[in-house]
Amino acid sequence: MSLRRLLEQQQSRLGALNRLLENEQAQLISGTIDGPQLENIAQKKSQLLSSLEDTESNRVRVQLRLGYAMGGDGARQAAKDADCLDQWQATL
């Protein structure tokens, strides 16, 4: 899978996680605690975090396979060379 596609997946999952967190916050400040709804949100967050970890692991593997150094500098250079630096910066 291309670096660009992995970054797109990460951004999509981060957006979904952000929406879940906003929903959770709204539930918590509403004054009425809906236990089943909060449990559902917690399960979805767990699934998304697991997916994000998988995508990040894949991104790092691609970065290394392409010959870039481990870490932030290598990630930035890989994204720049793959013409997806804007996506990398948005992901950060």
Side-chain angles (χ1 to χ4, degrees):
M1 182 173 293
S2 74
L3 185 58
R4 178 182 299 276
R5 181 71 183 124
L6 287 167
L7 289 173
E8 288 170 355
Q9 283 182 350
Q10 281 184 313
Q11 287 177 325
S12 175
R13 290 174 178 153
L14 286 168
L17 180 61
N18 190 52
R19 287 186 296 278
L20 276 175
L21 291 171
E22 288 172 349
N23 187 359
E24 181 180 48
Q25 182 182 32
Q27 290 287 324
L28 291 171
I29 63 175
S30 72
T32 350
I33 301 298
D34 182 345
Q37 179 66 20
L38 287 174
E39 183 177 335
N40 184 40
I41 291 170
Q43 289 174 352
K44 287 180 180 178
K45 284 191 316 186
S46 179
Q47 291 168 350
L48 275 170
L49 289 170
S50 179
S51 293
L52 278 165
E53 287 177 25
D54 291 344
T55 306
E56 177 60 10
S57 294
N58 288 336
R59 188 201 59 74
V60 170
R61 275 194 292 277
V62 168
Q63 175 181 324
L64 295 174
R65 187 183 76 229
L66 293 172
Y68 295 94
M70 184 74 164
D73 290 340
R76 185 180 191 291
Q77 189 61 51
K80 182 178 178 185
D81 291 348
D83 197 29
C84 56
L85 185 57
D86 289 344
Q87 289 165 312
W88 172 245
Q89 290 174 330
T91 301
L92 293 177

